[in-house]
Amino acid sequence: MTSMAEGEHGVRATPRAYVWFPYLMVFVVSFLLYANTIPNGYALDDKVVIGENPFTQKGVGGIRDILTHDTLTGFYGKGQSIVPGGRYRPLSLVTFAVEWQLFGQNPHLSHLINVILYALTGVVLYGLLSRLFADRQVKPRWYFSVPLVATLLYVAHPLHTEVVANIKARDDIMALLGALLALRCTLRYLDTDRVIHLVGSSVAFLLALLSKENVIAFLAVIPVMVYFCTDHKPRRNAVSVAPLALAAVTYLVMRHTALAGPKIPTVPDLMNYPFLGSSKARELATIAYTWLVYVKLLIFPHPLTYDYYPKQIPIISFTDPRALAAILVCASLAVVALAGLRKRGVVACGLWFFGLTFLPVSNLVINVGTFMNERFMYVPSLGFCLIVAYLLVSRAPGLWKNKDFARRVLSVGLVVILCLYGTAVVSRNRVWENDYTLFMHDVKISTRSAKSAASAGQ
């Protein structure tokens, strides 16, 4: 007979007293990591969406303009075509307009809201991972489980500082939060057959897309996660995608309507198209190299900078060892991802999540306007953290003779990593205090960038 301390298959169940505690832990850790951004002012692109945006400064009276124009129109003016294809990300600007209406120019409140939204994202993420991966380990403990370790690694990863510390990047936070809620509603529907959850998934996904369009990748991510982590039949999985597709179509119609009309043609500019003048082969080789830089920053997030504009990243050819190394690494990861499809392994799941969410910002499909950016890793880094957590919690102890001792040692190692991450985050937050502190600090990192040199007056 199984004891009360154990669940099915002899796996130790989480004590009831600790059911709520991990959620609180995630929220508190996330909040404290970024609490020192609250006294900060505006920096970088904050002027584009708040400080010098007439639509936002109209308060609620500007919401109509925000919803019916390109996101950059308020700052640059009507008829301007700043980036190819335009941008339609109105939801975060709507929140800025409401804040302006109620509190006027108040960057501290805006920073506080960013921090709270980030902490809530961590809470939602932990709940989702607990639903998806709780059975992928032996004798899970609440303090050393795949869901909690992955979540803590994610919320503490220093690559996220730009997203939380830069008010403008609230669009990234809201987009991921909405996409995660859409996944949660999809799972609830598959578990209960209640149509109301399909409605919830559609609404959540539409709000996510209205925050930032790159989460359209979740049209593929959500069914992939269902495939890897549940036993639901493909037909039911396909049904659950229909509301997401409806939300995507609704967003695309709204986007087309808002961006329609005559525009001044986009003039090729090095700062908005860093591969200007390069051959296609050199462009692809350089793109591959940036992928290698992303992998490096995921593993060792230092140094960090907001500026990867020309010519911080060098234009290289396929004969360059860096391009060859990038191709080798990417090909190896692709093989692992494909090989893991049949067994539905956690590592393969993490790689598929990473690949699908990275594709829209990889420069391979569309020009994102720069070589790379740390904020582009905000969503894909979740796949990386999931893989690391799984290897650390479920695989590494098996290499030791005494697995319990191994888990204690690995727990201490995890605490050390989180402390190092936290120190880096708190330090980086101070750099984002305002334009002056950001430009003067990062010009020492982005030494080859024309943008950094100009911003710092050098």
Side-chain angles (χ1 to χ4, degrees):
M1 182 175 181
T2 304
S3 67
M4 292 181 63
E6 294 183 343
E8 191 177 359
H9 306 304
V11 176
R12 187 180 304 170
T14 303
R16 292 182 180 179
Y18 293 122
V19 168
W20 57 270
F21 188 75
Y23 292 93
L24 178 62
M25 175 190 290
V26 168
F27 186 92
V28 171
V29 168
S30 304
F31 190 93
L32 292 179
L33 282 171
Y34 287 95
N36 68 328
T37 65
I38 298 173
N40 289 356
Y42 296 125
L44 202 59
D45 291 335
D46 290 344
K47 65 181 180 182
V48 176
V49 296
I50 305 174
E52 298 178 22
N53 190 308
F55 292 169
T56 301
Q57 293 176 0
K58 289 180 184 178
V60 295
I63 292 178
R64 178 182 177 86
D65 285 326
I66 291 171
L67 292 173
T68 56
H69 290 88
D70 186 299
T71 296
L72 300 178
T73 298
F75 180 76
Y76 289 104
K78 296 182 179 180
Q80 299 296 314
S81 184
I82 307 302
V83 291
R87 296 290 183 268
Y88 187 64
R89 306 165 181 173
L91 192 56
S92 61
L93 269 67
V94 169
T95 67
F96 299 142
V98 173
E99 289 171 34
W100 193 281
Q101 177 75 36
L102 297 176
F103 305 101
Q105 183 172 320
N106 192 334
H108 311 311
L109 175 67
S110 297
H111 281 296
L112 173 62
I113 292 174
N114 270 26
V115 176
I116 291 174
L117 287 173
Y118 185 68
L120 289 175
T121 301
V123 170
V124 172
L125 175 60
Y126 173 71
L128 266 176
L129 296 183
S130 296
R131 162 67 178 82
L132 294 171
F133 297 104
D135 62 341
R136 298 300 186 102
Q137 56 187 316
V138 179
K139 295 184 178 180
R141 294 168 171 80
W142 73 268
Y143 59 87
F144 195 61
S145 64
V146 170
L148 185 59
V149 171
T151 303
L152 290 176
L153 286 172
Y154 180 80
V155 299
H157 204 292
L159 269 184
H160 300 165
T161 51
E162 179 175 354
V163 170
V164 187
N166 187 199
I167 298 171
K168 176 267 171 193
R170 184 181 299 175
D171 52 3
D172 286 286
I173 302 175
M174 294 174 64
L176 178 59
L177 180 57
L180 293 177
L181 289 172
L183 173 55
R184 180 178 183 274
C185 289
T186 298
L187 292 171
R188 292 288 297 275
Y189 163 74
L190 291 171
D191 290 339
T192 65
D193 280 326
R194 296 181 63 186
V195 177
I196 187 64
H197 296 306
L198 289 181
V199 176
S201 69
S202 186
V203 172
F205 193 48
L206 177 59
L207 294 176
L209 289 167
L210 289 170
S211 298
K212 196 165 186 179
E213 65 279 353
N214 65 309
V215 291
I216 200 167
F218 273 75
L219 272 176
V221 169
I222 290 178
V224 165
M225 296 297 285
V226 171
Y227 167 77
F228 270 97
C229 306
T230 75
D231 295 324
H232 294 295
K233 302 297 183 182
R235 180 177 296 180
R236 298 198 66 225
N237 196 356
V239 170
S240 69
V241 174
L244 306 175
L246 176 62
V249 170
T250 303
Y251 166 77
L252 292 174
V253 170
M254 293 176 65
R255 186 183 193 277
H256 175 76
T257 303
L259 272 56
K263 290 183 177 62
I264 299 174
T266 302
V267 177
D269 175 78
L270 190 63
M271 288 301 161
N272 287 320
Y273 187 64
F275 306 106
L276 187 66
S278 302
S279 67
K280 192 63 178 179
R282 292 176 69 85
E283 176 181 338
L284 292 174
T286 305
I287 289 173
Y289 168 59
T290 62
W291 300 350
L292 191 63
V293 177
Y294 278 128
V295 172
K296 175 264 176 187
L297 288 173
L298 284 169
I299 298 171
F300 186 73
H302 179 82
L304 301 179
T305 177
Y306 80 93
D307 188 358
Y308 292 91
Y309 284 84
K311 302 218 172 168
Q312 180 61 19
I313 298 293
I315 301 291
I316 64 175
S317 68
F318 280 112
T319 59
D320 191 299
R322 292 170 292 186
L324 297 176
I327 293 172
L328 179 61
V329 170
C330 292
S332 300
L333 294 177
V335 168
V336 174
L338 291 171
L341 270 175
R342 185 175 181 180
K343 293 185 177 180
R344 303 187 185 187
V346 177
V347 172
C349 179
L351 288 173
W352 276 95
F353 183 97
F354 181 91
L356 290 171
T357 56
F358 177 58
L359 189 60
V361 295
S362 66
N363 263 325
L364 190 62
V365 178
I366 59 172
N367 165 37
V368 297
T370 182
F371 287 117
M372 57 181 291
N373 258 319
E374 289 163 10
R375 68 177 180 271
F376 294 162
M377 279 291 101
Y378 181 63
V379 179
S381 60
L382 174 54
F384 169 80
C385 293
L386 176 61
I387 292 170
V388 173
Y390 175 72
L391 295 177
L392 186 66
V393 174
S394 294
R395 289 302 181 207
L399 303 177
W400 299 52
K401 291 183 178 180
N402 189 326
K403 294 183 180 180
D404 288 334
F405 178 72
R407 291 190 180 96
R408 287 194 290 270
V409 172
L410 293 170
S411 297
V412 172
L414 174 64
V415 171
V416 172
I417 292 173
L418 292 175
C419 287
L420 292 173
Y421 274 8
T423 301
V425 167
V426 172
S427 176
R428 181 65 181 166
N429 289 342
R430 298 192 185 101
V431 174
W432 280 91
E433 181 178 354
N434 52 51
D435 277 345
Y436 179 81
T437 56
L438 180 65
F439 294 157
M440 297 308 293
H441 179 276
D442 283 11
V443 72
K444 302 173 185 176
I445 308 299
S446 300
T447 56
R448 294 167 52 90
S449 170
K451 184 173 182 177
S452 264
S455 298
Q458 296 184 0

